[in-house]
Amino acid sequence: MKFFFQLFVIVFSLLSVQTTFAQDKMHKMDKMDQTDVTIIHLDQTPGVYETTTLNLLPGKYIFEVTNKNVDKKLGFYLTTTDADKAQVPNSGLKELVNKGQTARTGVVELTAGAYEYSCPLNPTPHYSLKVAGK
């Protein structure tokens, strides 16, 4: 019985150490992914975003959407303005935004060009986002 108890303690200790290292690694990766990232805050009210035009430099961005008094969950949709209107990689919110809450996209790398943002759930107009210069 003593042997099984010692074995349990050893296995539990090894799992705890491995979990701690994995969490530290994830935390460091999150910090690395966040370097030189600009956060763009967008407030959404019923039917509209309060910011209607964005002019940005090429770079890395996180879009943060706050639901200001909309009685349904909100999303965020960032697309190119070319013929296929493709969604920009990592530009979806990590979770839908309930009334009074805020959610963020992943890190979005924008290059020079024209984009549009909107919310398909609240339905909002398509707003202009232009990236130029540097």
Side-chain angles (χ1 to χ4, degrees), residues 43-56:
D43 293 333
Q44 200 176 144
T45 58
V48 296
Y49 275 102
E50 291 181 354
T51 302
T52 59
T53 303
L54 289 169
N55 293 301
L56 305 173

Side-chain angles (χ1 to χ4, degrees), residues 91-106:
S91 67
L93 294 175
K94 294 183 179 189
E95 57 192 27
L96 295 178
V97 189
N98 290 309
K99 186 176 182 178
Q101 295 182 333
T102 300
R104 290 182 170 187
T105 65

Side-chain angles (χ1 to χ4, degrees), residues 16-100:
S16 296
V17 169
Q18 185 178 9
T19 302
T20 301
F21 286 138
Q23 289 174 345
D24 287 346
K25 186 176 179 182
M26 285 175 33
H27 185 65
K28 288 176 185 172
M29 286 175 56
D30 286 345
K31 283 184 177 181
M32 287 172 43
D33 290 341
Q34 304 292 325
T35 46
D36 300 323
V37 175
T38 302
I39 297 174
I40 304 296
H41 302 277
L42 296 170
D43 293 333
Q44 200 176 144
T45 58
V48 296
Y49 275 102
E50 291 181 354
T51 302
T52 59
T53 303
L54 289 169
N55 293 301
L56 305 173
L57 294 172
K60 296 178 183 178
Y61 296 90
I62 291 175
F63 293 88
E64 183 177 82
V65 176
T66 299
N67 180 334
K68 293 229 171 167
N69 212 27
V70 180
D71 287 329
K72 55 181 147 184
K73 294 179 180 181
L74 305 179
F76 176 77
Y77 204 63
L78 179 63
T79 61
T80 59
T81 58
D82 55 12
D84 65 353
K85 293 200 178 269
Q87 184 172 8
V88 177
N90 292 325
S91 67
L93 294 175
K94 294 183 179 189
E95 57 192 27
L96 295 178
V97 189
N98 290 309
K99 186 176 182 178

